[in-house]
Amino acid sequence: MKTHNHHDHHPPKLKTPFFSCAFFRHCTQTVLSPTATSATLPPPSAVTPSPPPPPQPAESSESSSSSSTTSQSFTQWKFPLPLLTTPTRPDPLPKPKNPLPPPISSTELQELFHVAELQFSTGSNSDRVNAIQMLERSLVPNPHSVCENALCPTAVMEQVVCSLKERGVAKTVTKVLLALCLAEGNRHVAVEAGAVGKVVEALPDLEGAAAERSLAALELLCTVEEGAAGVRAHALAVPMLVEAMGKISARGREYAIGVLAVIYGSNSEDELAVAPPEEVARAVVLALQEDCTTRGKKKGAQLLKILQENGRLDLSDEENGNAE
């Protein structure tokens, strides 16, 4: 009896966010017992506020069964089934962006290259793979930390570029080579190590992001005089670039067109390798018509203009219309 009187004077606390109708506001202000005998409740919209009903007398004989049955009904009314089966989840918090690792000092770079050179010198295939992976972990996450005053040794660069045609590590090698070529000093080292020829010859075997990175590295190599001369003198450069443009991404086409512009932009006929300008023009026009970046389209239009101005190509009116 004390427990029942306690519920009569202190109604259970209900979470108001589930209901905002007038009926619920009225119920929260009246005496509502979990043992009430009311079987069903009318819809909230059909109920108008009314004076609170008199408290129900206690029933000692059926108190246990009535309380158990009606309490379940009260619980279902308080927490509707849809809310139980499909609970509302809070919006996930935005993940913080991973900050770049601290720049690698010149001393650390020298130590890194020294360890890599030692591993390459053992002649073991596993040591060579470990050296390439070590360079990737150190250089790729923050490639701009590659300093000019800690150039990559020629012995290390030679091992890197010679691994471009090995399927097991080719993707990793393209990452390392591109990271190294971001430093202008390393571009000279890479050219001396034969990177131009190795990249050109590896293009047919590279796909996707690996091909894109190798073309980006090749375009960077063309920014130094000896690198541009090496690309122009390579007999396979133009055919490989034309072939690559038909199977790579828009960004890769941009890099390939940039290298072709370097090849045909030279005024020196002696350095230019024998290549069919008409085939180059067709490949560039197709690249401009398909998926290509804005910079790639600008480079392509400039390349076609160079071919015309140098007298290497006589585009018909139809081809001019397609190029535009």
Side-chain angles (χ1 to χ4, degrees):
M1 291 299 291
K2 290 183 180 180
T3 303
H4 182 72
N5 292 336
H6 176 71
H7 283 293
D8 288 342
H9 293 287
H10 298 282
K13 295 183 180 179
L14 302 179
K15 296 184 179 180
T16 57
F18 290 102
F19 300 92
S20 58
C21 62
F23 175 69
F24 178 74
R25 290 197 301 268
H26 167 71
C27 291
T28 56
Q29 296 173 0
T30 59
V31 178
L32 184 60
S33 173
T35 59
T37 58
S38 177
T40 59
L41 294 174
S45 59
V47 178
T48 57
S50 59
Q56 298 292 333
E59 299 178 6
S60 58
S61 61
E62 300 179 357
S63 175
S64 176
S65 61
S66 176
S67 175
S68 174
T69 303
T70 314
S71 177
Q72 294 179 358
S73 176
F74 177 78
T75 304
Q76 294 176 359
W77 169 78
K78 182 179 179 183
F79 301 104
L81 186 60
L83 292 179
L84 292 177
T85 56
T86 57
T88 303
R89 297 182 179 180
D91 294 333
L93 295 177
K95 296 181 179 180
K97 296 182 179 180
N98 295 330
L100 290 176
I104 306 175
S105 65
S106 60
T107 302
E108 292 172 334
L109 277 175
Q110 290 174 357
E111 294 177 355
L112 172 69
F113 291 142
H114 179 66
V115 174
E117 187 172 0
L118 291 176
Q119 289 182 319
F120 283 131
S121 64
T122 64
S124 170
N125 183 64
S126 60
D127 286 344
R128 183 172 52 83
V129 172
N130 290 336
I132 293 174
Q133 293 176 346
M134 179 185 64
L135 291 172
E136 178 197 14
R137 291 192 300 268
S138 301
L139 301 177
V140 174
N142 194 357
H144 295 285
S145 65
V146 180
C147 304
E148 294 289 343
N149 57 351
L151 299 181
C152 179
T154 303
V156 174
M157 187 70 75
E158 287 176 348
Q159 291 292 332
V160 170
V161 298
C162 286
S163 303
L164 278 170
K165 298 193 70 175
E166 298 186 15
R167 293 184 178 273
V169 294
K171 293 182 179 180
T172 304
V173 171
T174 58
K175 296 179 183 180
V176 175
L177 180 61
L178 180 56
L180 290 172
C181 288
L182 291 177
E184 183 177 352
N186 283 331
R187 299 171 201 171
H188 296 276
V189 178
V191 172
E192 294 177 1
V196 171
K198 295 296 184 182
V199 171
V200 170
E201 295 163 10
L203 279 176
D205 300 324
L206 297 176
E207 298 178 353
E212 181 179 317
R213 288 189 294 265
S214 63
L215 288 170
L218 187 60
E219 188 177 17
L220 287 174
L221 293 175
C222 290
T223 61
V224 297
E225 183 178 353
E226 60 269 30
V231 172
R232 296 189 191 103
H234 201 295
L236 294 178
V238 174
M240 293 297 99
L241 290 169
V242 171
E243 181 183 351
M245 279 197 296
K247 62 178 184 179
I248 55 179
S249 63
R251 185 71 65 184
R253 292 190 181 101
E254 174 191 331
Y255 301 142
I257 293 174
V259 177
L260 288 171
V262 171
I263 294 175
Y264 287 98
S266 172
N267 294 325
S268 176
E269 296 288 344
D270 297 335
E271 294 181 354
L272 182 62
V274 178
E278 294 80 7
E279 185 178 350
V280 174
R282 284 194 296 268
V284 172
V285 170
L286 288 175
L288 297 182
Q289 291 175 342
E290 296 177 359
D291 187 17
C292 192
T293 64
T294 303
R295 292 180 59 187
K297 292 180 179 179
K298 291 181 180 179
K299 292 178 181 180
Q302 184 66 24
L303 174 57
L304 294 177
K305 182 179 179 181
I306 290 173
L307 292 174
Q308 285 183 294
E309 291 178 348
N310 293 346
R312 296 187 177 121
L313 182 66
D314 184 15
L315 293 176
S316 64
D317 294 337
E318 181 179 357
E319 287 174 331
N320 279 328
N322 291 336
E324 294 175 359

